[in-house]
Amino acid sequence: MVAPGSGPYLVLRRDDGYGDVFPLQAGQRFTMGRANTNRIVLKDELCSREHAELSFADNKWRVRDLKSLNGTRVNSKPLEAEWELVSGDQIQLGRTALVYVDRLDELPSLPVPSSSSESLSIKKRLGQTRFLTPMPADVEVSEQTPAPKDGELLRRSLSRDLALLYRLALDMGSATTYEDLIHVVLDGLLEAVPAEVGAILTLKEGRDLEVTAHRHRDPSIRSYSPVSEFVSNEVRASREAILAEDVARDRYLRQRESITDLGATSLICAPVLFNNKVLGLIHLYCTDPHKALSGEDLEFTVAVAKQLGIVSTQLQQRESLTQENQVLRDQLRVESELVGASQAIDALEEQIARVAPTNATVLIRGESGVGKELVARAIHYSSPRKTGPFVCLNCAAITETLLESELFGHEKGAFTGATEKKIGKFEAAHHGTIFLDEIGEMAVNTQAKLLRILEGHPFERVGGSTPIKVDVRVVAATNQPLEQALQEGKFRRDLFFRLQVIEMRVPPLRDRADDIPVLAEHFLKRFVRETGRKIRGFTPAAMQKMAQYHWPGNVRELRNVVERAVALGQGPLLDAADIWLSSLELGGPAPLTVSDRFQPISLEELEKRHILKTLEHTDWNKSQAASILAIERSTLDRKIKAYQLRRGEPA
């Protein structure tokens, strides 16, 4: 027995008095929770494994919550930060109450418990309901044999409740939002049970119960007095519904929960569960002294609560998928936005705005890497088909024998390797857009089938005989001169004119130099965001180097150059040395200049000049120069020293 006055204590408070006493010693950390590793172990299902802790500093004991699931309260107030304890403070953790005192003789006196006739009477607990289990054999009544009177009444009551449940289930299934759903449930409950007041509470982030909606049978009454927190905690802990009576005479609960305004004669509290996880609670209570909630009302409420748990979870999952789908579409839409500030891009965007609302076939022409697919995406996501699929197929990346299967699909066993039925790209793009890149590489036989689809005819899968008709907009692209393919007989003339209903030309990057800085900044922000590098921008020298380059690979090459610079750059700004550009010339080999003609010089002199030119090309970035020369960096350093090469020396 600990002597009074020997130090501060935590004392367990129970409904019938005080329990265990925990002496506190300065310099030690006292954790409280369900885990056996705590200094104070609490056998309480509502407590977290490590719920809260006590610490001693500046001659004071303090308590703080350890991010517990259900939170910690001090003197009935939620603990948001560290609390400095004074003698008499009561700490609430789940259903466990602890009193902090400096001396045991400072423990406050407890109210005398009320007699059983004046306390809360939990009449029935229920975890299952007869509505979810087969009807007992002694309740079933055949058409030939008269039923006992009690069985007949039970059957009539069950038939009525089943009809109400069926209608309520249909209404719940038609709800499109969670708010609509809970209003449907409240209306159905107040129609089926004699309660005057109903409410649905939702568990927010696994901790606090929030009144989502409440309803009074009298529409003129809009106020709502919440049911006892003690009852709610009991239901959350046991996951069983409760039917309680004599609530109005519960003097102890009135003192403890401050619910004198409730005025209820009976109440039902049922958990809304899904996979044994509490999502919320249903509260129903009677205020009419001539009415009372019954066991049948409890069973009906449990059935509704279980249905609500399933429907609300499915509704939230559907909303989550819808939001995720919208986010993905927004991301695709962002990726398909054309970036640029030149007049050429403005004219292209204006043309897209006029073309997109129509169903006309579009042929996009331009060099490789100019962004023909981005234009096709912009057309799709600016059109009425934007909610449908956008399907891409590169005709040059697939062999002639497989291209027809990719476009139109095939039946099982149509050819060797066709082990399953396959849906083609045209079927997958139904009510959407199909983008056929490199259309000039398509085989002539396949072109004939494509022409029939463009003319509105159905098609058949490879190896199949069932006609398939689809609603698809076709956008094609090519970087080849189709007119030359027409003359050579490699492309059908009728297909060419069918594709060229609307022709859009995407200019190369060298013809819209104003877009180079805008695109470079766009790609820089994108790759910095992806890699987390601390790069703020380009130096003027780096931007000038990119502006003077001819960009034979167009926007794709610019994107790769910026990605490489972000990956290898070391400073806060990308300099000219970080911009590695290809030595490829546009349109084939350049004509010979005077310096390219034969000169009678030694191999040593030729190597010296070539190394110096390479260093000047890389702005004396030795690592890049060594990579171009295909030698080690150390070998390059030795040759620079041997040839006495210096920056600025003429080659």
Side-chain angles (χ1 to χ4, degrees), residues 21 71 139 562:
V21 177
V139 179
V562 176

Side-chain angles (χ1 to χ4, degrees), residues 230-282:
F230 168 75
V231 173
S232 298
N233 289 339
E234 284 288 325
V235 173
R236 288 175 61 182
S238 65
R239 293 179 173 80
E240 292 182 334
I242 285 178
L243 169 62
E245 292 183 347
D246 299 329
V247 178
R249 298 201 303 264
D250 183 9
R251 185 175 65 193
Y252 175 63
L253 279 181
R254 289 203 302 271
Q255 294 171 351
R256 181 177 174 184
E257 305 290 350
S258 299
I259 59 170
T260 54
D261 295 333
L262 185 62
T265 58
S266 60
L267 67 85
I268 288 176
C269 183
V272 179
L273 301 172
F274 185 77
N275 287 340
N276 207 34
K277 178 183 177 182
V278 179
L279 306 179
L281 300 176
I282 293 178

Side-chain angles (χ1 to χ4, degrees), residues 328-402:
L328 292 174
R329 289 186 180 276
D330 291 342
Q331 290 176 354
L332 287 173
R333 188 175 296 110
V334 169
E335 291 297 324
S336 69
E337 287 180 352
L338 297 174
V339 178
S342 64
Q343 292 183 354
I345 288 295
D346 291 341
L348 190 61
E349 289 179 338
E350 184 180 348
Q351 191 175 7
I352 290 172
R354 293 197 305 268
V355 170
T358 71
N359 284 322
T361 306
V362 180
L363 178 62
I364 305 173
R365 309 183 76 165
E367 296 178 5
S368 178
V370 294
K372 296 187 291 296
E373 183 176 340
L374 296 182
V375 174
R377 287 185 181 274
I379 293 173
H380 172 72
Y381 287 109
S382 301
S383 73
R385 298 174 177 265
K386 62 183 178 182
T387 57
F390 178 79
V391 179
C392 299
L393 180 66
N394 190 329
C395 300
I398 303 174
T399 62
E400 179 181 347
T401 55
L402 293 178

Side-chain angles (χ1 to χ4, degrees), residues 269-555:
C269 183
V272 179
L273 301 172
F274 185 77
N275 287 340
N276 207 34
K277 178 183 177 182
V278 179
L279 306 179
L281 300 176
I282 293 178
H283 281 174
L284 300 169
Y285 60 86
C286 266
T287 57
D288 189 342
H290 302 292
K291 295 181 181 179
L293 298 172
S294 64
E296 286 74 16
D297 298 327
L298 180 64
E299 294 225 21
F300 186 90
T301 305
V302 169
V304 174
K306 289 184 179 295
Q307 179 74 4
L308 176 58
I310 296 172
V311 177
S312 63
T313 301
Q314 292 176 344
L315 189 61
Q316 290 172 2
Q317 289 175 348
R318 186 174 67 188
E319 290 178 353
S320 177
L321 289 174
T322 302
Q323 293 173 359
E324 183 179 354
N325 187 32
Q326 187 60 46
V327 169
L328 292 174
R329 289 186 180 276
D330 291 342
Q331 290 176 354
L332 287 173
R333 188 175 296 110
V334 169
E335 291 297 324
S336 69
E337 287 180 352
L338 297 174
V339 178
S342 64
Q343 292 183 354
I345 288 295
D346 291 341
L348 190 61
E349 289 179 338
E350 184 180 348
Q351 191 175 7
I352 290 172
R354 293 197 305 268
V355 170
T358 71
N359 284 322
T361 306
V362 180
L363 178 62
I364 305 173
R365 309 183 76 165
E367 296 178 5
S368 178
V370 294
K372 296 187 291 296
E373 183 176 340
L374 296 182
V375 174
R377 287 185 181 274
I379 293 173
H380 172 72
Y381 287 109
S382 301
S383 73
R385 298 174 177 265
K386 62 183 178 182
T387 57
F390 178 79
V391 179
C392 299
L393 180 66
N394 190 329
C395 300
I398 303 174
T399 62
E400 179 181 347
T401 55
L402 293 178
L403 180 58
E404 189 173 341
S405 172
E406 286 291 325
L407 283 171
F408 312 117
H410 62 252
E411 298 290 348
K412 181 179 179 180
F415 50 84
T416 303
T419 57
E420 299 290 341
K421 182 178 74 172
K422 179 179 179 180
I423 301 299
K425 299 295 185 183
F426 269 97
E427 283 186 80
H430 187 49
H431 294 309
T433 304
I434 186 170
F435 173 60
L436 301 177
D437 199 8
E438 305 297 346
I439 190 71
E441 303 294 333
M442 182 178 290
V444 176
N445 293 335
T446 309
Q447 293 176 24
K449 283 195 172 184
L450 175 61
L451 178 61
R452 284 186 57 82
I453 296 176
L454 292 177
E455 291 176 346
H457 297 288
F459 64 91
E460 298 172 357
R461 299 191 189 102
V462 177
S465 58
T466 304
I468 301 170
K469 190 174 179 63
V470 292
D471 175 21
V472 175
R473 180 179 192 173
V474 176
V475 178
T478 182
N479 60 0
Q480 301 292 333
L482 293 182
E483 292 80 3
Q484 182 178 347
L486 287 174
Q487 297 175 1
E488 296 174 357
K490 296 180 180 179
F491 202 84
R492 294 178 62 101
R493 182 177 298 272
D494 47 5
L495 178 60
F496 173 76
F497 290 117
R498 189 65 184 82
L499 289 174
Q500 204 184 23
V501 176
I502 297 176
E503 181 176 294
M504 302 179 68
R505 292 185 178 269
V506 185
L509 187 57
R510 62 182 176 275
D511 292 345
R512 45 189 179 102
D514 293 343
D515 292 337
I516 294 175
V518 180
L519 285 165
E521 291 289 347
H522 169 75
F523 290 131
L524 176 65
K525 292 178 181 178
R526 175 178 172 180
F527 294 123
V528 165
R529 183 172 62 251
E530 292 179 359
T531 60
R533 303 293 301 274
K534 305 296 182 182
I535 299 176
R536 298 195 303 268
F538 299 93
T539 63
M543 195 63 77
Q544 182 181 6
K545 186 175 182 179
M546 289 188 291
Q548 294 175 348
Y549 183 58
H550 56 271
W551 298 109
N554 291 294
V555 179

Side-chain angles (χ1 to χ4, degrees), residues 11 15 56 69 106 119 123 151 168 203 229 231 407 441 474 495 540 559 594 615 636:
V11 183
D15 292 343
F56 186 79
L69 184 63
E106 294 179 343
S119 63
K123 184 177 180 181
L168 182 56
L203 205 59
E229 185 176 340
V231 173
L407 283 171
E441 303 294 333
V474 176
L495 178 60
R559 175 190 181 278
V594 175
L615 288 168
L636 178 61

